[in-house]
C-alpha cells in the first residue's frame, strides 16, 4: 500500500476542517461527520478549539482509500497560529489548499501559496462553498491571475479537449504525447503535479458533501509514494504532551525504519542519546502503539526529552529557518502571590512545544516577556497557562520584537580570575548573512586548551539567548568562533568558563559597531486605481519601498516591503479609504536595519553599562585579590595574544601609503630597483607622496574602540602549487621551470614590499636525493627548499604550528590536503586565485602612483 502524507491548509473559515471530516467519512474512517460549529469535529479535539470554533493545534488522521494510506495533517487557518502550520510543511508529500468560493483568494491564502512554493510542496486545490452561488469561472480566473496558469479544473474528464490542451500547455511530456496521439497519460500528470507545474482544482461543498468523493478519488489517482532511502532518517515537526504529561516528539520517518528501544542521537544543535520507549500512530485524539514505523510514517515518539521542532535525526538535515516568526512583544503580568521564577520554568515547557512562542526573561527588570503573532494567540495562551499550571496572567500592550547584530568582525575577550579561579576565553564574532541566525564553531588548538574545556565553552555559548548592547534585544545573524582560551591546572572550574564566555560575548559586542534590526513585511496591496496616490504616499511615510504598480481592470496592485512597526495596523486604514474594497497581504520577509534606530534606543532606554546580569568587564587577579578591568581596557591586560583584524577606517589611504612607502624604499635599494623595474619599467629615484582624495567622512553611530592588533603577519606560499595554478607561470614552467620560479620570486618581492608582511616562499625538494634543505633571503622574502622526504605542506604544517600561537598566519596554496592541515593549526587559507587577486591589486595601486607622478 502506498503511503502519502498530505496537509490541509486554508484561510480561517474557508471550511478546511469540514472538508477533512468529509474526506474521513468518504474513506470510511468515521461514521458521523462532525461540525466545527457543533463542537464535535473529529480533528478539533481540544476543548479550546471546540469553544472558539477554530483549529489551533495541528492534528493527524489516518485514512485508507483504495491502494493508498493517507496521513492527513490538519493545520490551523488563523494567522495567529500560522507558525504551527508552517512547521508541518517540512514533512508533507502533498498539500490541499482550501479556498472559499464566495470569498476567493484572501490575504492569508496568498501567504500560504508562497510558503508552499518556498517548501516546494505539490498542491491540490479544493474550492469550497460552491453551493452559495459562487462563480466557478471567476474563481478560476483569479487562481490563474494570482497563483498560476497551472491551476486547472479537474472536475472535467479526458474527453474534454480543452481540458487536455490545458494540461499539455503546462508540461512538455504531456504536450508531446498530446500532439502525437491526442491522449494524456495519468503518469505524466502525476509527474507534473510533483514538479508543481500542474495544480489540480476541484469544486464542491464540504458541508453538503458535494464533490468530496470526487476529490478523494483525484488524490488517490494523481499522487504517488515518495521513494525513501534505506538509511535511517527522521524529521521532527512538533513537540507536545499527552493528557498524562508524557512528552511526545512528532516526526516523519524519511528513511529506513524506526523500532521501539532504538537508540537515537542528536547530531546538530545538541549532542544527546536517548532510547525510543513507544511509537504511537495518532488518528484524532486516539492512537495505536506499534513496534515499528516504516518510511513515510508520521508518528509520535516517547522517551526523547531533548528534541526540538525542525530537528533532523539520522541522515535528515535540520529544517530551514521558518519564514513566519512572532514580531510582537508583550510583558506578562502575574497575579499577586505567583513566584516569577516558578512561572518562567513552567513557560519554558510551553516554549518547547510551541516554536512560535518565544519566552524572554529580562533579568534587569525581573520581567517575563513573550513574543507572539497576535491577540488571539494571547487569549489561547492565557487559557492554556491557567489550565496547565493554575496561573492567572495578563499581558501589557505589545511592542515590536527587535534584534541586534554587528557590522564587522571583532574579537571578544572574557577573563575571570578572582582568587583561586581562572579562565580566559577569546571569541571571533563575525556578521553573517541575513536570516542565518546564530552559528557557533571552534578553531582552537587542543595544545592550548583541552577539548573538554572547548566543549564546555560551546555549551555556554548555546545555552542562553545572548542580548545586544543597544536595546538588550537578542543577537542574531552572527557566527561566534572560539579561537583561544586558557585554563589553570588546579584552579579552573566549570563555572569559571561560564563567566569568561558570557563576558567575552558582551565585551565583543561593546567593542563592535552594533546594528539594530527590526522586522520587515513583504506586502501586496490591492486597491481601486483611484486610491493609488494615497497608498503610495502612505507607504513612503511608513519608510517602505515598492515596485511599479500593476493595474488590472479597475484595481491596482502594489508590491513592496515596509517595517512591521509602521505597517502592522495599516489594514484598517486600507479598509477605510477604499470603503472595504482594498486588500493588504503581509508576510514577514526577515529583519533589516531599523529605520529609526535612535528613536527606538531612546524609547527602550536600555543601559548596557548598568546591566549587572550581563557584564562586559573582566576580572583579573593581583597580589591575591581580584580587580575589575573595564571592557575597553581588557586588551591591555589579557594573557593570550589577540588576533589581527583589519578594521582600519582609513584603509584606502593606508593602501596607497604602503605602496608609496615601498616605491620610495625601492629607489634606495639597487637590487630591489632591478626587480621593481622588470615589472613596472623605469621610475624616478624619488616619488612624490601620493594623496588620496576622500569625501568627508560620514558621522559614525555608536563608535567603538578598535581591537588591538597584535603579532606580526606571516604569509607562507607553497611555490609550486602557485606556479601551476597561475596561467602566466604555468606557461613559463612548460618551457623552463627555473624561469617560472624566478618570476614568482620577483612578483612576491614586490608584493611583500607593498604588504609589509613576513613572506616565506616554500619549494618542494623532497625528491632530491641527499638534499638537506636550504633557506635564503632573496631581497625581502625568505625562500625555503625543503629537505629530502619533506614536502612543502609538511614544512608549512610544521612552521604554522610553531608561529601560529603568537602571530597571524596565512597560507597560500591550492592543495586541498594542506587546507585541512593549516586550518587545524589555526592558520587562514588563501587560495591561489585569492593571492593572485591581492597581487593584482598591489600592482594596480603601485601603477596608479607611478602614473600620477
Amino acid at each position: 500500500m502506498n503511503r502519502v502524507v498530505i496537509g490541509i491548509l486554508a484561510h480561517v473559515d474557508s471550511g478546511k476542517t469540514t472538508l477533512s471530516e468529509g474526506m474521513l467519512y468518504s474513506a470510511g474512517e468515521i461514521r458521523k461527520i462532525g461540525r466545527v460549529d457543533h463542537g464535535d469535529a473529529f480533528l478539533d479535539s481540544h476543548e479550546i478549539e471546540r469553544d472558539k470554533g477554530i483549529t489551533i493545534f495541528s492534528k493527524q488522521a489516518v485514512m485508507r482509500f483504495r491502494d493508498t494510506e493517507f496521513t492527513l495533517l490538519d493545520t490551523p487557518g488563523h494567522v495567529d497560529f500560522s507558525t504551527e502550520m508552517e512547521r508541518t510543511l517540512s514533512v508533507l508529500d502533498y498539500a490541499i489548499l482550501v479556498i472559499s468560493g464566495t470569498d476567493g483568494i484572501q490575504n492569508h491564502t496568498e501567504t500560504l501559496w508562497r510558503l508552499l512554493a518556498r517548501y516546494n510542496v505539490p498542491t491540490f486545490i479544493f474550492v469550497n462553498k460552491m453551493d452559495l452561488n459562487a462563480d466557478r469561472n471567476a474563481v478560476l480566473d483569479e487562481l490563474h491571475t494570482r497563483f498560476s496558469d497551472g491551476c486547472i479544473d479537474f472536475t472535467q474528464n479526458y474527453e474534454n479537449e480543452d481540458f487536455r490542451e490545458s494540461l499539455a500547455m503546462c508540461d512538455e511530456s504531456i504536450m508531446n504525447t498530446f500532439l502525437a496521439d491526442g491522449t494524456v497519460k495519468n503518469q505524466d500528470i502525476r509527474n507534473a503535479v510533483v514538479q508543481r507545474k500542474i495544480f489540480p482544482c476541484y469544486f464542491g461543498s464540504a458541508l453538503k458533501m458535494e464533490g468530496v468523493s470526487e476529490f478523494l478519488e483525484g488524490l488517490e489517482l494523481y499522487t504517488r509514494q515518495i521513494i525513501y532511502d534505506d538509511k535511517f532518517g527522521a524529521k521532527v515537526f512538533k513537540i507536545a504532551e499527552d493528557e498524562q504529561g508524557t512528552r511526545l516528539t512528532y516526526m516523519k520517518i524519511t528513511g529506513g525504519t524506526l523500532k521501539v528501544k532504538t537508540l537515537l542521537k542528536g547530531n546538530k544543535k545538541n549532542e544527546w542519546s536517548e532510547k525510543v520507549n513507544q511509537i504511537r500512530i495518532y488518528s484524532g485524539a486516539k492512537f495505536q502503539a506499534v513496534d515499528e514505523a516504516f518510511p513515510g510514517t508520521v508518528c509520535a515518539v516517547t522517551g526523547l526529552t531533548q528534541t526540538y521542532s525542525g530537528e533532523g535525526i539520522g541522515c535528515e538535515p535540520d529544517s530551514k529557518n521558518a519564514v513566519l516568526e512572532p514580531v510582537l512583544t508583550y510583558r506578562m503580568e502575574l497575579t499577586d502571590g505567583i513566584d516569577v521564577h516558578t512561572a518562567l520554568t513552567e513557560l519554558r515547557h510551553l516554549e518547547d512545544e510551541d516554536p512560535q512562542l518565544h519566552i524572554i526573561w529580562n533579568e534587569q527588570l525581573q520581567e517575563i516577556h513573550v513574543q507572539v503573532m497576535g491577540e488571539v494567540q494571547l487569549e489561547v495562551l492565557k487559557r492554556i497557562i491557567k489550565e496547565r499550571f493554575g496561573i492567572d496572567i495578563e499581558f501589557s500592550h505589545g511592542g515590536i520584537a527587535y534584534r541586534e547584530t554587528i557590522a564587522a568582525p571583532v574579537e571578544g575577550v572574557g577573563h575571570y580570575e578572582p582568587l583561586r579561579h581562572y579562565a580566559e576565553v577569546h571569541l571571533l564574532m563575525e556578521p553573517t548573512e541575513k536570516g542565518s541566525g546564530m552559528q557557533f564553531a571552534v578553531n582552537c588548538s587542543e595544545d592550548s586548551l583541552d577539548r573538554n574545556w572547548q566543549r564546555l565553552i560551546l555549551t555556554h555559548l548555546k545555552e542562553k539567548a545572548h542580548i545586544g548592547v543597544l536595546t538588550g534585544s537578542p543577537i542574531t545573524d552572527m557566527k561566534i568562533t572560539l579561537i583561544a582560551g586558557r585554563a589553570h591546572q588546579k584552579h579552573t572550574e566549570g563555572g569559571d568558563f561560564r563567566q569568561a564566555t558570557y563576558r567575552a560575548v558582551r565585551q565583543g559586542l561593546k567593542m563592535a559597531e552594533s546594528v539594530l534590526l527590526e522586522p520587515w513585511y513583504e506586502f501586496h496591496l490591492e486597491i481601486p486605481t483611484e486610491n493609488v496616490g494615497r497608498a503610495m504616499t502612505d507607504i513612503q511615510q511608513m519608510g517602505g519601498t515598492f515596485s511599479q504598480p500593476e493595474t488590472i481592470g479597475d484595481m491596482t496592485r502594489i508590491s513592496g516591503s515596509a517595517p512591521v512597526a509602521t505597517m502592522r495596523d495599516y489594514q484598517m486604514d486600507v479598509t477605510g479609504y477604499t470603503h472595504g474594497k482594498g486588500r493588504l497581504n503581509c508576510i514577514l520577509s526577515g529583519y533589516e536595519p531599523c529605520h529609526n534606530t535612535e528613536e527606538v534606543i531612546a524609547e527602550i532606554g536600555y543601559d548596557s553599562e548598568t546591566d549587572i546580569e550581563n557584564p562586559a568587564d573582566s576580572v583579573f587577579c593581583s597580589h591575591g585579590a581580584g580587580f575589575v578591568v573595564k571592557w575597553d581596557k581588557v586588551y591591555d591586560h589579557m594573557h593570550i595574544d589577540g588576533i589581527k583584524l583589519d578594521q582600519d577606517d582609513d584603509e584606502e589611504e593606508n593602501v596607497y601609503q604602503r605602496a608609496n612607502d615601498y616605491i620610495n624604499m625601492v629607489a634606495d635599494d639597487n637590487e630591489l630597483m632591478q626587480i621593481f623595474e622588470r615589472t613596472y619599467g623605469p621610475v624616478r629615484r624619488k616619488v612624490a607622496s601620493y594623496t588620496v582624495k576622500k569625501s568627508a567622512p560620514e558621522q559614525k553611530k555608536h563608535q567603538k574602540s578598535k581591537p588591538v592588533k597584535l603579532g606580526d603577519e606571516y604569509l607562507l606560499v607553497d611555490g609550486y602549487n602557485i606556479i601551476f595554478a597561475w596561467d602566466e607561470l604555468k606557461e613559463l614552467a612548460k618551457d623552463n621551470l627555473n624561469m617560472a620560479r624566478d618570476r614568482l620570486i620577483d612578483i612576491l618581492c614586490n608584493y611583500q614590499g607593498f604588504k609589509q608582511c613576513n613572506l616565506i616562499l616554500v619549494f618542494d625538494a623532497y625528491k632530491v636525493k641527499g638534499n638537506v634543505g636550504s633557506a635564503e633571503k632573496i631581497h625581502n622574502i625568505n625562500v625555503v627548499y625543503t629537505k629530502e622526504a619533506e614536502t612543502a605542506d609538511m614544512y608549512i604544517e610544521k612552521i604554522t604550528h610553531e608561529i601560529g600561537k603568537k602571530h597571524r598566519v596565512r597560507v597560500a596554496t591550492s592543495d586541498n590536503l594542506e587546507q585541512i592541515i593549516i586550518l587545524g593549526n589555526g592558520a587562514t587559507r588563501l587560495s591561489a586565485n585569492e593571492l593572485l587577486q591581492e597581487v593584482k591589486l598591489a600592482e594596480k595601486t603601485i601603477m596608479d602612483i607611478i602614473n600620477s607622478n
Side-chain angles (χ1 to χ4, degrees):
M1 179 173 283
N2 294 330
R3 288 189 181 88
V4 174
V5 180
I6 192 161
I8 184 164
L9 304 84
H11 188 286
V12 67
D13 293 333
S14 295
K16 170 181 57 60
T17 301
T18 306
L19 177 60
S20 301
E21 296 285 315
M23 292 169 62
L24 290 169
Y25 180 79
S26 295
E29 297 296 335
I30 59 177
R31 296 180 180 179
K32 177 186 175 183
I33 300 177
R35 289 182 55 165
V36 175
D37 52 349
H38 291 174
D40 60 353
F42 179 74
L43 289 174
D44 282 350
S45 56
H46 199 285
E47 184 179 348
I48 299 177
E49 293 176 314
R50 290 177 171 172
D51 288 347
K52 299 190 75 66
I54 60 173
T55 302
I56 296 173
F57 310 102
S58 59
K59 299 294 193 318
Q60 170 183 342
V62 178
M63 62 181 186
R64 297 163 184 83
F65 186 77
R66 295 178 181 168
D67 294 328
T68 303
E69 179 183 276
F70 291 101
T71 298
L72 183 66
L73 298 180
D74 187 17
T75 66
H78 196 285
V79 66
D80 277 16
F81 306 98
S82 52
T83 53
E84 173 87 6
M85 170 276 303
E86 184 183 357
R87 62 185 176 182
T88 66
L89 298 184
S90 62
V91 299
L92 297 184
D93 300 330
Y94 295 87
I96 301 168
L97 182 59
V98 183
I99 295 174
S100 169
T102 55
D103 297 326
I105 298 174
Q106 297 167 279
N107 293 349
H108 190 51
T109 316
E110 288 195 81
T111 299
L112 297 174
W113 179 259
R114 289 198 292 274
L115 286 172
L116 290 168
R118 181 179 190 266
Y119 287 90
N120 197 32
V121 182
T123 304
F124 290 76
I125 295 174
F126 186 85
V127 182
N128 195 22
K129 303 183 180 181
M130 292 301 294
D131 58 315
L132 301 178
N133 298 318
D135 187 336
R136 178 188 298 228
N137 292 329
V139 174
L140 272 174
D141 289 343
E142 189 176 23
L143 288 171
H144 293 156
T145 301
R146 295 184 179 278
F147 287 176
S148 168
D149 289 334
C151 297
I152 298 174
D153 184 358
F154 266 63
T155 56
Q156 308 172 69
N157 57 47
Y158 288 135
E159 295 178 2
N160 186 319
E161 187 169 352
D162 290 340
F163 174 58
R164 286 177 290 162
E165 286 183 358
S166 298
L167 293 172
M169 293 297 293
C170 297
D171 180 74
E172 187 175 350
S173 297
I174 298 177
M175 175 68 78
N176 292 336
T177 305
F178 178 70
L179 293 176
D181 56 19
T183 63
V184 176
K185 297 179 180 178
N186 286 340
Q187 183 59 46
D188 289 339
I189 296 176
R190 293 188 195 102
N191 293 338
V193 170
V194 168
Q195 296 167 18
R196 287 182 52 84
K197 295 178 179 179
I198 290 177
F199 305 93
C201 300
Y202 293 82
F203 295 77
S205 170
L207 185 62
K208 295 186 176 181
M209 289 298 293
E210 296 173 359
V212 176
S213 296
E214 293 81 358
F215 181 54
L216 196 54
E217 290 174 359
L219 289 178
E220 196 275 335
L221 184 60
Y222 298 118
T223 57
R224 67 185 189 192
Q225 180 168 322
I226 304 298
I227 299 174
Y228 297 100
D229 201 317
D230 293 334
K231 191 175 181 181
F232 175 75
K235 176 61 66 68
V236 177
F237 68 96
K238 179 181 176 181
I239 306 296
E241 282 189 0
D242 64 10
E243 295 178 353
Q244 287 72 43
T246 303
R247 190 177 195 267
L248 301 176
T249 298
Y250 285 83
M251 62 177 66
K252 177 187 177 184
I253 309 303
T254 59
T257 60
L258 177 65
K259 297 181 180 180
V260 173
K261 299 305 178 185
T262 298
L263 184 68
L264 297 182
K265 295 182 179 180
N267 52 10
K268 308 297 187 306
K269 293 182 180 178
N270 300 313
E271 294 184 7
W272 54 265
S273 178
E274 296 176 321
K275 283 186 178 181
V276 173
N277 291 337
Q278 191 179 40
I279 301 174
R280 301 178 180 180
I281 308 296
Y282 272 88
S283 191
K286 298 180 180 180
F287 68 86
Q288 177 186 0
V290 298
D291 294 328
E292 186 174 10
F294 298 95
T297 300
V298 175
C299 57
V301 171
T302 68
L304 307 182
T305 63
Q306 300 186 60
T307 48
Y308 54 89
S309 180
E311 181 175 13
I313 300 176
C315 64
E316 186 70 30
D318 277 6
S319 296
K320 295 184 290 186
N321 291 334
V323 172
L324 304 176
E325 292 184 32
V327 295
L328 302 178
T329 300
Y330 293 80
R331 186 185 65 193
M332 183 178 293
E333 298 174 351
L334 301 173
T335 55
D336 294 339
I338 302 297
D339 179 66
V340 67
H341 294 285
T342 301
L344 180 63
T345 301
E346 301 290 5
L347 289 169
R348 293 297 186 194
H349 294 296
L350 291 181
E351 190 178 34
D352 288 341
E353 299 173 23
D354 187 358
Q356 70 184 347
L357 174 64
H358 293 178
I359 305 296
I360 300 172
W361 170 243
N362 189 316
E363 184 72 37
Q364 193 172 17
L365 300 177
Q366 294 286 294
E367 293 176 347
I368 299 175
H369 292 189
V370 297
Q371 292 179 356
V372 294
M373 299 293 289
E375 300 283 348
V376 177
Q377 188 189 355
L378 283 182
E379 292 179 30
V380 173
L381 182 60
K382 286 167 60 176
R383 183 163 170 180
I384 290 175
I385 293 173
K386 175 64 175 177
E387 292 177 356
R388 290 269 296 267
F389 313 121
I391 300 175
D392 289 314
I393 61 171
E394 294 294 336
F395 294 98
S396 64
H397 179 69
I400 298 299
Y402 293 95
R403 300 280 190 273
E404 295 183 32
T405 189
I406 56 176
V410 67
E411 180 184 11
V413 178
H415 189 98
Y416 188 69
E417 192 186 0
L419 185 61
R420 296 189 179 89
H421 293 269
Y422 184 90
E424 182 166 316
V425 172
H426 289 237
L427 304 173
L428 175 60
M429 304 169 67
E430 304 168 281
T432 54
E433 63 181 13
K434 185 183 80 170
S436 59
M438 294 300 298
Q439 304 168 37
F440 304 99
V442 174
N443 187 12
C444 178
S445 171
E446 292 182 21
D447 293 339
S448 59
L449 187 65
D450 289 344
R451 179 180 295 184
N452 63 317
W453 293 128
Q454 294 186 21
R455 288 180 174 175
L456 183 61
I457 292 169
L458 272 183
T459 298
H460 293 323
L461 286 173
K462 297 176 183 179
E463 69 188 0
K464 65 175 290 188
H466 301 278
I467 61 174
V469 296
L470 299 180
T471 61
S473 300
I475 59 174
T476 188
D477 298 347
M478 197 183 305
K479 181 179 181 181
I480 301 181
T481 305
L482 171 63
I483 54 174
R486 182 173 292 177
H488 191 279
Q489 189 171 1
K490 294 182 179 179
H491 298 316
T492 298
E493 300 175 358
D496 300 340
F497 272 110
R498 176 183 289 109
Q499 286 286 338
T501 302
Y502 290 176
R503 292 168 190 267
V505 173
R506 293 290 287 181
Q507 194 267 350
L509 293 173
K510 293 286 285 183
M511 295 296 295
E513 182 181 349
S514 292
V515 179
L516 184 64
L517 304 175
E518 67 175 341
W520 277 57
Y521 280 142
E522 174 189 331
F523 70 85
H524 299 276
L525 175 63
E526 185 174 318
I527 52 176
T529 302
E530 63 192 45
N531 299 125
V532 169
R534 162 70 186 271
M536 293 171 65
T537 300
D538 287 350
I539 294 168
Q540 290 173 341
Q541 290 177 346
M542 289 186 286
T545 61
F546 54 88
S547 56
Q548 182 69 31
E550 178 185 2
T551 300
I552 305 172
D554 60 351
M555 301 293 286
T556 296
R557 185 178 177 86
I558 303 176
S559 299
S561 58
V564 171
T566 57
M567 185 167 266
R568 56 188 285 196
D569 298 321
Y570 188 54
Q571 176 63 62
M572 291 185 291
D573 292 345
V574 172
T575 301
Y577 71 72
T578 64
H579 305 291
K581 298 179 181 179
R583 298 195 301 181
L584 175 66
N585 175 249
C586 297
I587 185 172
L588 186 67
S589 63
Y591 277 77
E592 301 286 351
C594 185
H595 76 286
N596 58 336
T597 296
E598 298 296 338
E599 180 182 334
V600 172
I601 291 175
E603 181 180 349
I604 293 177
Y606 175 73
D607 185 358
S608 61
E609 295 286 344
T610 60
D611 187 352
I612 60 175
E613 297 299 327
N614 295 282
D617 306 333
S618 283
V619 179
F620 288 81
C621 187
S622 178
H623 305 293
F627 66 97
V628 175
V629 174
K630 292 294 293 182
W631 56 270
D632 56 342
K633 305 296 182 184
V634 172
Y635 290 124
D636 299 330
H637 293 77
M638 61 191 185
H639 295 173
I640 304 173
D641 288 338
I643 59 174
K644 185 177 182 180
L645 293 171
D646 294 327
Q647 295 181 334
D648 203 324
D649 294 335
D650 300 316
E651 181 62 26
E652 181 185 2
E653 186 173 354
N654 288 343
V655 165
Y656 282 95
Q657 187 61 51
R658 288 202 304 267
N660 198 84
D661 292 344
Y662 175 54
I663 294 172
N664 286 324
M665 180 186 71
V666 165
D668 295 326
D669 188 309
N670 290 331
E671 292 182 341
L672 284 178
M673 175 60 78
Q674 293 176 11
I675 294 174
F676 185 89
E677 292 184 343
R678 283 200 292 268
T679 301
Y680 301 102
V683 295
R684 295 184 293 179
R685 302 297 292 177
K686 276 285 184 181
V687 177
S689 296
Y690 184 88
T691 303
V692 182
K693 295 182 179 179
K694 302 178 67 175
S695 58
E698 294 184 2
Q699 182 70 26
K700 285 218 169 186
K701 298 177 181 179
H702 315 299
Q703 187 75 22
K704 304 296 180 185
S705 306
K706 300 185 186 70
V708 179
K709 301 177 181 179
L710 298 176
D712 295 330
E713 178 184 343
Y714 280 79
L715 175 62
L716 307 179
V717 180
D718 189 330
Y720 289 128
N721 266 337
I722 299 300
I723 286 175
F724 291 104
W726 291 2
D727 292 339
E728 175 196 354
L729 300 182
K730 188 176 181 180
E731 288 300 316
L732 278 176
K734 290 179 180 178
D735 299 325
N736 190 319
L737 184 59
N738 288 335
M739 287 180 60
R741 195 163 50 226
D742 292 342
R743 175 64 180 143
L744 177 60
I745 291 173
D746 280 1
I747 292 172
L748 294 182
C749 279
N750 285 320
Y751 174 79
Q752 190 281 335
F754 169 84
K755 196 72 174 177
Q756 291 298 301
C757 60
N758 296 296
L759 198 151
I760 303 174
L761 176 60
V762 185
F763 290 105
D764 274 322
Y766 72 99
K767 291 184 178 180
V768 181
K769 192 171 183 179
N771 181 37
V772 295
S774 64
E776 58 181 321
K777 187 88 170 181
I778 299 182
H779 309 304
N780 53 352
I781 67 174
N782 297 287
V783 180
V784 174
Y785 294 87
T786 63
K787 61 185 178 182
E788 182 184 5
E790 182 182 45
T791 62
D793 57 293
M794 291 169 62
Y795 178 88
I796 289 173
E797 178 189 7
K798 177 180 66 177
I799 198 70
T800 300
H801 183 75
E802 292 174 2
I803 65 178
K805 297 177 181 178
K806 289 188 176 291
H807 302 278
R808 183 186 179 201
V809 180
R810 299 196 302 165
V811 176
T813 176
S814 60
D815 186 282
N816 292 330
L817 175 63
E818 187 168 290
Q819 177 185 359
I820 298 172
I821 293 172
I822 62 146
L823 289 177
N825 284 283
T828 302
R829 180 181 183 270
L830 190 68
S831 71
N833 183 60
E834 289 171 337
L835 177 61
L836 181 60
Q837 297 307 312
E838 288 194 8
V839 167
K840 287 182 177 179
L841 174 62
E843 292 178 348
K844 180 181 181 303
T845 307
I846 293 171
M847 286 301 300
D848 287 346
I849 296 177
I850 294 173
N851 293 334
S852 70
N853 289 276

